[in-house]
């Protein structure tokens, strides 16, 4: 799949369309079923976000403010050249996808070729497996927020380097601060170590609860690891059962 060459979230063309689509999807999954024809000037809309298993209850104005903050950050990311070699090689930055009111965020490592081409996170083989994991939890991709530590694809899909993670830290942390999820699931070593700022291995970080801001954090294996090592799917399922129990989602 080839990209258009336009930056994700850039002011014109595909980036703007994608941002608008995500904004509408985010509003819809937050329980907002209609929009005023014109920007409301006097009265704030009274609709509230659904609030439920996977989305936090929030007034429409608060949802709108989160979505706008994410849009501003998306544009910043699209213009970022802190890691010049990655910026030079990218087709799209990959900001993240999902409702601004998601109760749960899945944090991955970095875009691969398919994500770089499309501008969307987790759309390749690992992404398809992540979708299956989410659906096994009786959730859907549209109900959860998915993001990565790095917003640009590293060459040959190599692990992010410490300076690259440091350059992107401000972005993924701000993103999580805006969404303020109740739960974060770190997918793999890079995500877990970057978020929790630890050197512990993913094996040592699994089956434990951490906090990040107001979020409760759990770590599990990355879907790419599961593609190489299918028996580990059982352990990921154990982790998902822990997570769903804490979220109050019945399996
Ligand atoms: N692996 C990741 O960590 N993120 C993606 O978006 C795709 C593959």
């Amino acid at each position: 799949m080839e990209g258009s060459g336009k930056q994700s979230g850039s002011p014109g063309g595909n980036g703007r369309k994608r941002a608008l689509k995500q904004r509408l999807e985010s509003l819809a999954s937050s329980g907002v079923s209609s929009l005023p024809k014109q920007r409301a000037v006097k009265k704030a809309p009274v609709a509230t976000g659904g609030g439920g298993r996977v989305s936090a209850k929030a007034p429409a104005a608060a949802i709108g403010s989160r979505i706008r903050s994410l849009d501003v950050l998306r544009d910043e990311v699209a213009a970022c050249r802190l890691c010049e070699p990655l910026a030079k090689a990218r087709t799209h930055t990959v900001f993240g996808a999902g409702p601004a009111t998601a109760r749960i965020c899945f944090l991955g490592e970095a875009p691969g070729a398919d994500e770089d081409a499309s501008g969307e996170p987790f759309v390749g083989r690992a992404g398809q497996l992540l979708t299956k994991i989410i659906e096994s939890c009786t959730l859907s991709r549209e109900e959860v927020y998915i993001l990565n530590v790095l917003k640009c694809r590293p060459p040959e899909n190599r692990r992010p380097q410490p300076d690259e993670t440091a350059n992107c830290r401000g972005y993924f942390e701000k993103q999580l601060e805006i969404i303020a999820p109740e739960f974060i699931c770190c997918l793999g070593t890079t995500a877990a170590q970057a978020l929790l700022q630890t050197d512990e291995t993913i094996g040592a970080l699994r089956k434990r609860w951490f906090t990040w801001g107001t979020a409760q954090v759990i770590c599990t294996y990355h879907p790419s690891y599961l593609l190489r090592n299918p028996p580990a799917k059982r352990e990921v399922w154990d982790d998902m059962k822990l997570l769903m129990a804490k979220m109050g989602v019945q399996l």
Side-chain angles (χ1 to χ4, degrees), residues 220-236:
T220 193
Y221 294 123
H222 192 285
S224 299
Y225 172 71
L226 300 184
L227 291 173
R228 298 191 302 271
N229 185 14
K233 286 181 187 171
R234 183 172 306 207
E235 289 160 90
V236 169

Side-chain angles (χ1 to χ4, degrees), residues 15 37 39 46 57 83 85 103 114 117 122 124 126-127 132 142-143 145-146 174 181 192 194 204 212 217 219 236:
K37 282 202 179 112
R39 209 176 272 269
V46 290
K57 195 166 176 63
C83 309
R103 285 182 71 205
D114 294 314
F122 278 100
K132 279 195 190 160
E142 290 69 36
E143 293 175 304
Y145 197 95
I146 302 174
K174 184 80 193 287
W212 188 89
V217 180
C219 306
V236 169

